[in-house]
Amino acid sequence: MDYRSIDFSLRDGVATLVLSRPARLNAFTAEMHAEIRDAMDRVEAPDSGARVLVLTGAGRAFSAGQDLSESDAGAAPLDVGATLERNYNPLLARLRALPIPVVAAVNGVAAGAAANLALACDIVIAARSASFLQAFAKIALIPDAGGTYTLPRLAGLPRAMGMAMLAEPVKAEDAERWGMIWKCVDDADFPAAVEQLAAKLAAGPTGAYARIRRALLASPDNDFDTQMALELALQREAGAQADFAEGVHAFLEKRPPRFSGR
Ligand code: LHQ
């Protein structure tokens, strides 16, 4: 498939998906979603070699969320429910189940569904000039793309409520200070920081990363005993992987580990 709304590359274990409609601030269309599905198929292919997925945007924005000028018949209003059902909800579910880490490299404003897509990623790194905007209430909608799940868990209920109702941009450094994202870095350092982060994750223990994600995402909804049982089960699996043996050998031999991801 030829892409018109995204760019995709896969090199050295790093899959990079760039939302790329810069004239519309990379707003999501049905076409963009179809292309993302195709790229996700390539990432998920058993022999893809992908060990980290990086999502980012072309130009000055990460993405302005749903393209509000898009409609089925040109004039008919957007069918919000159908768009979520067909496009956003499956994408969020797919990213959450992906067996490799997902990084959101938020290069500029992330608004609406795109803000919540970014916040659903495992590691969110943002340029200092970036911002997160829960734009929904401005058009009389509610946060979607997982926002009502993610926001209170990341930021606490008072800030989630403020962001959702007031729809004011949250600067990257405030998002970092509030604990909503991993890190905010100066714009000049951002590309190198993203590259380094991606390279580190691509060379890491992929299977352990997938289990870390499962355990941490399950945690807020579990009681102590349930979480300890989950930890035990996942750690037992991790301990049976080749990468655990390699990690221990490397430590004892005082050398860096060479993780295969298995
Ligand atoms: C856009 C958009 C855009 C089209 C900028 N669409 N053109 C909703 C419905 C259905 C199902 C699923 O879920 C959703 C969830 C959602 O995502 S709802 C939220 C949708 N997004 C928004 O409401 C954000 C709208 N955009 C903005 O508020 C601003 O553009 C932000 C704050 C992102 C950036 O502001 P500026 O830096 O001042 O840029 P701009 O507003 O001048 O935008 C540049 C161009 O991009 C402009 O076009 P033009 O032809 O005038 O140069 C905008 O119209 C266009 N654009 N966002 N979502």
Side-chain angles (χ1 to χ4, degrees), residues 92-119:
L92 267 289
R94 211 167 167 183
L95 289 172
R96 199 177 159 90
L98 202 68
I100 60 174
V102 184
V103 172
V106 182
N107 52 302
V109 62
N116 294 333
L117 176 73
L119 293 173

